[in-house]
């Protein structure tokens, strides 16, 4: 058994096992996940792994608690999945909320609500690859440490790749900056140009309120070798429990795909111009999403 | 038939390469160790490559092609000796190749030269920097060898020189670090890490060497087998029980044992069972049409207890 199944996916496994004896929504959800994950297009070898280490059996266990969060905790309202083109696509989203529930919710949306179900493969921080258990979980559920070559390979293979170009600067921003897009990295645009991949802007409304940041102690972060050390209403005061998000409602919108053309090795200025276009689209989508919601929680 | 000189012919891979090459080449070998059961027609000169006699072999035999396999790939010997054999040995070999009219040279390096790093691209191509020296100084000599051969490659365009960087190679007759690791009764692994690893069968690597000779390829090529699986899954398939120890404990333990000379497993090697070091063999496949014949199941069966 993988360590990762032992520890991180234990909750999922319990639910999975328990569901065999349960009737009602748990077993329905398990059946739904089984059916949908099986339909995700993937090139698996005889041992059930794809070239990047994705394993559907692990994903099924992992996605069950995530699906619970998606349906019953964040009660996600997702729109625009019909905008997801077939084959290679790059999802670009806004990052917030101290812990990357936003990535997980986009992942759940693509599995539970897209037709056919898709695996959105996250491009993670380098730091994540050095973490025990989490590094395995990341691989088995289809994500990877975000390097250019890995992104190119996945897209050329027709995968759906998800990136948050703000990185930790977005995720761990303070509440005073809520819904203000931070500086975007340029890597994703070069990736898109190189592989001729349509970009789908994904706006996520709700994540900013799930765990508002009060401060970010960069000194402590450096000391612990972490990218950031956020202070929130509950973290670190309640320990790991303090990472628990508030039950806000998520509104996720997949915008129409945009195909950029140009030289992937162009000057930063030129690439920046294209990145700004995406950023503007995303900002508009965010503003519209915020205007349309009735309240943060409902 | 043209003559082929194989250095390190008595090793597991050397024997496989020699047996396959016999139909197309007159095979001559050099090795410190004997090969008592060498097939008919294969001449084995038994001496240390660092000796003058090595040059005599070039002078008298005048090989048309050379396959260089004589590297120390374990850490049991003195580091200075290892460096001398690997780096100095290669340097002399290259000089002889240039002087005695060798037309073709294949050097078998390793994918380990890329190093195992958390932020490695999952399928590194040949342009990826050789980062092994950053975290694994014990195999820096292999990177130096690559430097020497790379320079040679550009200096002598008339010689078809190729460097092959194969993935983890397993086989009954091959003794290397990864094979030895996977044959431990209870295999130690690092808790919370389970990198994707590529494997290939030793016979396939021997064939790749022969294909490189046949196609007269020139340049640096990654060579891979049928695919990748997580390390611990591979151990399960092989049928070896394993246990996991926390990273910090593993490093402290291995460091202590290594510095005391009790267990010659360098601490830098731990990264290879933690982080990915997977490569893309697209270039070699395109240049030669080579496809590994053995499946992962066959590879694992070849080292099963």
């Amino acid at each position: 058994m993988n360590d990762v199944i032992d520890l991180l996916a234990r909750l999922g496994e319990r639910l999975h096992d328990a569901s065999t004896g349960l009737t009602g929504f748990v077993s329905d959800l398990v059946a739904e996940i089984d059916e949908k994950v099986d339909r995700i297009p993937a090139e698996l070898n005889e041992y059930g792994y794809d070239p990047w280490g994705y394993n559907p059996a692990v994903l099924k266990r992992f996605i069950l608690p995530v699906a619970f969060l998606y349906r019953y905790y964040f009660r996600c309202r997702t729109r625009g999945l019909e905008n997801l083109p077939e084959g290679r696509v790059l999802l670009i989203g806004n990052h917030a909320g101290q812990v990357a529930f936003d990535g997980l919710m986009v992942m759940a949306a693509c599995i539970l609500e897209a037709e056919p179900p898709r695996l959105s493969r996250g491009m993670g921080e380098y730091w994540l690859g050095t973490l025990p258990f989490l590094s395995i979980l990341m691989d088995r559920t289809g994500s990877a440490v975000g390097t250019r070559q890995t992104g190119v390979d996945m897209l050329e293979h027709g995968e759906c790749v998800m990136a948050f170009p703000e990185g930790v600067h977005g995720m761990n921003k303070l509440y005073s900056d809520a819904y203000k897009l931070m500086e975007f990295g340029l890597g994703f645009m070069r990736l898109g140009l190189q592989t001729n991949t349509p970009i789908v802007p994904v706006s996520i409304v709700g994540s900013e309120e799930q765990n508002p940041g009060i401060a970010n102690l960069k000194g402590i972060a450096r000391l612990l070798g972490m990218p950031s050390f956020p202070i929130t209403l509950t973290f670190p005061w309640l320990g790991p429990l303090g990472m628990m998000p508030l039950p806000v409602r998520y509104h996720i919108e997949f915008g129409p795909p945009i195909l950029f053309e140009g030289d992937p090795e162009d000057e930063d200025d030129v690439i920046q111009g294209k990145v700004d276009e995406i950023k503007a689209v995303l900002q508009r989508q965010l503003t519209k999403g915020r205007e349309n919601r009735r309240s943060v929680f409902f | 038939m043209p003559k082929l000189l194989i250095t390190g012919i008595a090793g597991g891979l050397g024997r496989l390469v020699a047996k396959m090459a016999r139909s197309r080449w007159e095979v001559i070998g050099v090795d410190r160790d004997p090969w008592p059961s060498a097939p008919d027609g294969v001449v084995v000169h038994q001496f240390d490559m660092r000796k003058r006699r090595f040059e005599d072999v070039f002078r008298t035999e005048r090989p048309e092609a050379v396959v260089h396999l004589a590297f120390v790939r374990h850490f049991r010997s003195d580091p200075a000796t290892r460096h001398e054999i690997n780096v100095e040995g290669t340097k002399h070999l290259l000089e002889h190749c240039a002087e005695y009219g060798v037309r073709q040279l294949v050097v078998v390096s390793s994918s380990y030269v890329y190093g195992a790093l958390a932020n490695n691209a999952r399928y590194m191509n040949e342009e990826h920097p050789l980062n092994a020296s950053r975290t694994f100084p014990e195999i820096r000599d292999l990177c130096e060898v690559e430097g020497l051969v790379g320079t040679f490659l550009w200096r002598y365009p008339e010689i078809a020189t190729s460097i092959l960087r194969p993935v983890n190679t397993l086989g009954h007759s091959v003794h290397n670090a990864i094979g030895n690791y996977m044959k431990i009764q209870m295999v130690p692994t690092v808790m919370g890490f389970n990198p994707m690893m590529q494997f290939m069968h030793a016979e396939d690597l021997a064939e790749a060497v022969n294909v490189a000779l046949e196609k007269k390829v020139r340049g640096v090529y990654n060579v891979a087998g049928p695919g990748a699986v997580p390390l611990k899954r591979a151990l399960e398939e092989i049928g070896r029980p394993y246990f996991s120890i926390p990273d910090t404990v593993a490093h402290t333990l291995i460091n202590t044992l290594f510095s005391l000379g009790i267990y010659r497993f360098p601490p830098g090697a731990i990264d290879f069972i933690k982080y990915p070091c997977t490569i893309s063999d697209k270039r070699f496949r395109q240049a030669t049409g080579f496809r590994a014949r053995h499946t992962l199941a066959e590879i694992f069966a070849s080292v099963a207890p």
Side-chain angles (χ1 to χ4, degrees), chain A residues 70-116:
Chain A
Y70 181 86
R71 289 252 167 95
Y72 305 106
Y73 194 83
F74 293 123
R75 297 147 294 139
C76 296
R77 289 217 175 116
T78 304
R79 305 190 328 150
L81 269 167
E82 66 280 1
N83 286 324
L84 212 56
E86 252 178 72
R88 67 179 67 166
V89 54
L90 193 48
L91 307 180
I92 296 300
N94 58 303
H95 215 11
Q98 317 308 336
V99 179
F101 287 105
D102 44 10
L104 293 177
M105 292 308 111
V106 172
M107 189 179 180
C110 291
I111 293 171
L112 297 172
E113 303 201 21
E115 195 52 53

Side-chain angles (χ1 to χ4, degrees), chain A residues 1-3 45-47 49-53 126 129-133 135-136 139-140 144-145 147 149-150 153, chain B residues 118-123 125 190-194 196 228-230 232-233 236-237 242 244 275 295-297 300:
Chain A
M1 288 286 275
N2 289 330
D3 291 328
N45 66 15
E46 61 266 49
Y47 299 102
Y49 298 89
D50 92 340
W52 298 277
Y126 290 176
T130 66
L131 300 179
F133 304 108
S135 61
I136 306 181
D139 276 13
R140 296 300 166 271
V145 168
T147 61
Q149 189 60 48
T150 306
D153 288 347
Chain B
N119 59 0
N120 269 348
R122 285 309 142 91
Y123 290 92
N125 61 27
V190 184
M191 192 180 281
F193 291 95
N194 196 8
M196 292 296 278
V229 279
K232 291 171 191 182
R233 184 61 194 269
E236 279 164 25
E237 290 302 319
Y242 62 85
S244 299
Y275 300 132
T295 62
L296 284 168
F300 296 144

Side-chain angles (χ1 to χ4, degrees), chain B residues 39-103:
Chain B
D40 287 342
V42 174
V43 181
V44 180
H45 300 277
Q46 195 194 338
F47 59 83
D48 193 318
M49 240 175 63
R50 290 171 291 176
K51 296 270 161 38
R52 278 209 75 88
R53 279 182 64 191
F54 189 42
E55 189 173 353
D56 297 339
V57 173
F58 277 88
R59 190 181 298 118
T60 53
E61 302 278 9
R62 297 276 171 167
E64 184 175 321
V66 174
V67 171
H68 186 29
L69 304 172
F71 295 108
V72 182
R73 293 178 190 269
H74 57 73
F75 306 96
R76 293 189 296 276
S77 60
D78 170 34
T81 313
R82 182 184 147 116
H83 191 272
E84 198 178 299
I85 293 173
N86 291 355
V87 180
E88 298 287 311
T90 303
K91 183 173 170 283
H92 291 140
L93 176 125
L94 295 174
E95 286 164 4
H96 304 331
C97 285
E99 196 177 338
Y100 297 102
V102 169
R103 311 290 311 154

